[in-house]
């Protein structure tokens, strides 16, 4: 199981209606067939860090992760979601798969997605902070 976690903050001026729409889109993405479990809602972390919301999905394996990353529902949601976010912290992700190369394989899937969808990568890149203790970035 790969557990992918994001914490995020909305841009100043984002209305409650816009926030509700973004959260609904995230919940839609988190309900695609490749996701085993999910939670989308308030961040319970330190408020001083400035993250107000969180997104967590459990994904069975690398094949399911690749399906998730390229699912049409995911691809359609991000262009509507990302413009409303001020910042995103990725991770730390966790897995019960003890393969020491797993983080690199996940990063390779992310890089493949950026290569296929450079506009998405350009929209995501300025928002992302990596929260992984290993220094390895993870996918969004």
């Amino acid at each position: 199981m790969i557990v992918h976690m994001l914490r995020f903050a909305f841009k100043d001026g984002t209305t409650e209606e816009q926030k509700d729409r973004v959260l609904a889109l995230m919940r839609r993405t988190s309900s695609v067939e490749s996701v085993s479990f999910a939670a989308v809602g308030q961040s319970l972390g330190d408020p001083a860090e400035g993250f107000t919301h969180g997104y967590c999905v459990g994904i069975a394996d690398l094949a399911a992760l690749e399906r998730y990353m390229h699912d049409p529902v995911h691809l359609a949601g991000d262009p509507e979601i990302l413009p409303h976010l001020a910042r995103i912290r990725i991770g730390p992700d966790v897995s019960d798969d003890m393969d020491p190369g797993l983080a690199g394989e996940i990063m390779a899937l992310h890089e493949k997605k950026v290569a296929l969808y450079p506009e998405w990568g350009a929209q995501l890149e300025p928002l992302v902070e990596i929260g992984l203790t290993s220094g390895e970035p993870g996918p969004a």
Side-chain angles (χ1 to χ4, degrees):
M1 185 66 60
I2 299 165
V3 180
H4 177 53
M5 295 181 275
L6 305 174
R7 289 182 297 153
F8 58 95
F10 287 99
K11 286 182 178 175
D12 289 341
T14 303
T15 67
E16 290 304 314
E17 181 178 283
Q18 290 168 323
K19 289 177 185 179
D20 289 345
R21 172 74 176 148
V22 166
L23 294 173
L25 289 166
M26 289 181 162
R27 289 184 184 106
R28 184 182 75 176
T29 297
S30 72
S31 69
V32 299
E33 75 70 35
S34 53
V35 174
S36 299
F37 63 85
V40 179
Q42 69 173 318
S43 174
L44 301 176
D46 182 353
E49 290 184 342
F51 297 104
T52 57
H53 292 79
Y55 176 94
C56 176
V57 289
I59 300 174
D61 54 27
L62 283 171
L65 178 62
E66 187 165 23
R67 288 193 314 276
Y68 164 78
M69 293 171 77
H70 298 278
D71 190 291
V73 169
H74 192 174
L75 296 174
D78 281 357
E80 291 187 62
I81 293 167
L82 295 175
H84 296 288
L85 304 184
R87 55 194 277 246
I88 305 167
R89 172 145 321 141
I90 299 174
D93 290 352
V94 298
S95 180
D96 58 0
D97 180 340
M98 298 307 291
D99 177 355
L102 182 61
E105 292 179 67
I106 292 170
M107 188 61 199
L109 290 177
H110 172 74
E111 290 170 354
K112 178 181 172 183
K113 183 174 178 179
V114 170
L116 285 171
Y117 307 103
E119 301 84 15
W120 171 81
Q123 193 176 19
L124 180 66
E125 191 273 328
L127 303 175
V128 172
E129 303 171 14
I130 304 301
L132 299 175
T133 56
S134 70
E136 292 274 348

